[in-house]
Amino acid sequence: STHKNDREIVLVGGTKRYLSNEKLILKKLIELGWKFKIVGMDSSFLKDVKHIYTGFLPYDEMLIEVSKASFSLISYNTTEDMNYKNDLFALPHKYYDSLAAETPVIVNKRFVSMAKEVEKLGIGVVIDTEKPDEAVEKILKAYDDYETLIENIRKYKKNFIWDEEKKREFLDFVCDD
């Protein structure tokens, strides 16, 4: 089967995040035998959630760690303000990194732009962190249909990778007089 490190969720990041609801979700999954890995974010806030910690890694090594996980969790607040526009509409690098690594994403529904794309393309799970039980259910259900997620990521992967060819196309487009 295409499952990678069986039932492992990876969180990539380097800043202080407010993750209290996410903690509940992770703890429930860990009780069900899931593993949780943190890459590059020394978060004392998550010390009570059992996890594997890699420390900060060079980009390519970080991608390898992400590619080994079943899902990449993209859910955070950079501020206490739940409506901080930069959070809501951001399409952060780690989102594209996960897809480049062929790892389905678990995205907070507050992230409007990402959530829309994830649902439309079927490349992950959108969760409501205010409803931890329902979120856990959705993740488990998505895991049951993991092959489909991987197929969809492979199908749309080209849209997510910023390679040399893309860069050239973009520059041609922008510089085209």
Side-chain angles (χ1 to χ4, degrees), residues 143-157:
Y143 189 72
D144 286 339
D145 196 17
Y146 199 76
E147 272 71 21
T148 308
L149 293 176
I150 296 291
E151 271 165 38
N152 290 339
I153 289 178
R154 287 186 180 146
K155 188 158 77 184
Y156 298 113
K157 194 169 160 179

Side-chain angles (χ1 to χ4, degrees), residues 67-97:
S67 76
K68 288 188 213 159
S70 311
F71 289 103
S72 170
L73 176 64
I74 303 178
S75 182
Y76 54 83
N77 293 63
T78 42
T79 70
E80 306 252 12
D81 171 12
M82 289 304 230
N83 297 309
Y84 181 52
K85 292 284 181 279
N86 201 36
D87 281 358
L88 303 189
F89 297 101
L91 289 161
H93 285 299
K94 64 173 122 184
Y95 171 70
Y96 294 109
D97 291 341

Side-chain angles (χ1 to χ4, degrees), residues 115-158:
K116 217 189 240 165
E117 195 166 74
V118 167
E119 281 181 338
K120 191 176 93 190
L121 305 180
I123 52 179
V125 200
V126 175
I127 58 167
D128 180 349
T129 51
E130 304 293 312
K131 300 177 180 161
D133 288 325
E134 183 190 284
V136 168
E137 279 307 304
K138 282 188 87 171
I139 293 165
L140 297 176
K141 203 167 165 257
Y143 189 72
D144 286 339
D145 196 17
Y146 199 76
E147 272 71 21
T148 308
L149 293 176
I150 296 291
E151 271 165 38
N152 290 339
I153 289 178
R154 287 186 180 146
K155 188 158 77 184
Y156 298 113
K157 194 169 160 179
K158 283 193 180 50

